[in-house]
Amino acid sequence: MIVALIDSGLGMLPTALWLRTKRPELNLMLALDPDGAPWGPKPEQWVIDRVLETAQCCLDRGAEVIVLPCNTASVTALEHVRELVGPGVPVIGTVPAIKPAAAACDSVAIWATAATTSSRYQADLIERFGNGSSVVSIACHGLAEAIDRGEREAATAAIASAAARTPDDVGAVVLGCTHYPLVADEIAASLPAGVHLFDSAEAVAAQTIRRIDALGEAGDARGALHARTGSVEVYLSGRPGSLPESARAFPVGRLLTAGASQPS
C-alpha cells in the first residue's frame, strides 16, 4: 500500500511519523514542492493547479491513498483532488484541532500562519467548533518558514514572539499549521505550565488508516506485513530526490531520511 503525502514543505513530517509509528509496513511517498513553496500566500487557483499536478504525479507513480497534511492544500484543493482521483482512491485532508481544544478548555489560542489567521476559513472553524470558548488567533510570523529551513534560532524567535502575544490565561493552544508540531516541545516550554497543545497529525494518520482498512486488502495483509518496514520515496516538485538537509534538524526528519530510498 503506497500512501502519498503532499505538502509544500516539512509540514507533512508529523503525519508521516504517526503513520510510520502506527503502520510501519506502509510505503510512504513524500511529495514536497520546494520550487513553489510556500503555498499559503499564493493565489487560490495557482494552489489548486499545483496540488492537482502533484496528486497526478503521485498517482502515476503508484499512490493508492493521498493525504494532504497541509491546511492550505486542504482548504483550497481537497475537493478538487477528490474529483480528480474518483471514489476508488481515499483522499484525506487536514483540519486544525479547534473542536477538541474548545471541548476541553474554556480559553483557546490558535497559532497559525498569518495567511491562515486572517482567513475566512479559520473564522468559520471558530464559529462552528468554538463551543462557547474564548478563542484568540495568534499569527506566528516566519515560524513555518524557519522550520522549513531548519533554522532553529529563527524558529525560537518566532515562538517567543507568538508566546508573548498569547493571553496568560489560555488553557489550550491549537497548532494550526502542520509544521508546528515539529517544534512542539519548544512551543510548550514557551507557555505557562499546564497549557495543553492540540494538533491534527495523529488524527489525520488515524483517519488515513481507517480509510485504508476500509479498502479491505490492507487489513487482510496487515499481520504478514508487520514484519517489515515500508519504503520511503521523496519527490521534490515532481523530481525524485531526498528530504532537504533542513529535515535533519528534527528527529522525525532524521528517521525518515534514514529510511528513504536514494534517487537513481
Side-chain angles (χ1 to χ4, degrees):
M1 177 65 63
I2 301 175
V3 179
L5 293 90
I6 297 173
D7 190 3
S8 63
L10 301 184
M12 65 174 61
L13 295 185
T15 300
L17 176 61
W18 279 112
L19 288 172
R20 187 50 114 211
T21 301
K22 293 173 179 288
R23 288 288 177 81
E25 75 278 4
L26 291 173
N27 299 309
L28 303 181
M29 181 182 292
L30 309 181
L32 294 78
D33 184 24
D35 294 354
W39 286 347
K42 301 292 197 305
E44 181 175 307
Q45 190 58 53
W46 187 98
V47 175
I48 292 171
D49 292 343
R50 198 75 170 186
V51 174
L52 289 177
E53 179 183 354
T54 305
Q56 186 61 62
C57 287
C58 292
L59 292 172
D60 293 343
R61 292 182 169 108
E64 299 159 271
V65 178
I66 292 178
V67 185
L68 303 181
C70 168
N71 290 306
T72 297
S74 296
V75 172
T76 309
L78 179 62
E79 295 307 320
H80 297 275
V81 175
R82 286 176 172 160
E83 183 178 352
L84 171 72
V85 305
V89 177
V91 181
I92 297 89
T94 297
V95 176
I98 296 171
K99 185 175 182 179
C105 300
D106 293 332
S107 180
V108 176
I110 305 170
W111 285 25
T113 65
T116 298
T117 298
S118 63
S119 69
R120 182 68 247 174
Y121 165 70
Q122 181 161 298
D124 288 342
L125 287 177
I126 294 170
E127 185 175 341
R128 289 172 60 196
F129 300 124
N131 195 41
S133 297
S134 171
V135 181
V136 60
S137 297
I138 306 295
C140 300
H141 301 286
L143 180 54
E145 292 81 0
I147 291 170
D148 266 338
R149 295 190 298 266
E151 296 177 355
R152 298 305 295 258
E153 289 187 7
T156 297
I159 290 167
S161 172
R165 291 178 283 113
T166 299
D168 292 335
D169 63 348
V170 298
V173 168
V174 175
L175 304 183
C177 170
T178 56
H179 287 64
Y180 297 173
L182 291 170
V183 290
D185 289 347
E186 193 166 347
I187 291 172
S190 75
L191 297 167
V195 175
H196 300 283
L197 300 186
F198 289 81
D199 75 81
S200 57
E202 184 178 7
V204 172
Q207 175 64 3
T208 301
I209 290 168
R210 283 192 291 270
R211 296 294 303 278
I212 289 171
D213 287 348
L215 295 176
E217 61 181 274
D220 295 339
R222 187 169 58 204
L225 289 172
H226 257 315
R228 71 172 181 86
T229 298
S231 64
V232 178
E233 293 180 275
V234 178
Y235 293 93
L236 305 175
S237 301
R239 305 177 299 273
S242 304
L243 283 173
E245 186 62 29
S246 58
R248 292 181 178 274
F250 311 101
V252 60
R254 295 192 289 273
L255 173 68
L256 292 173
T257 297
S261 58
Q262 297 303 308
S264 56

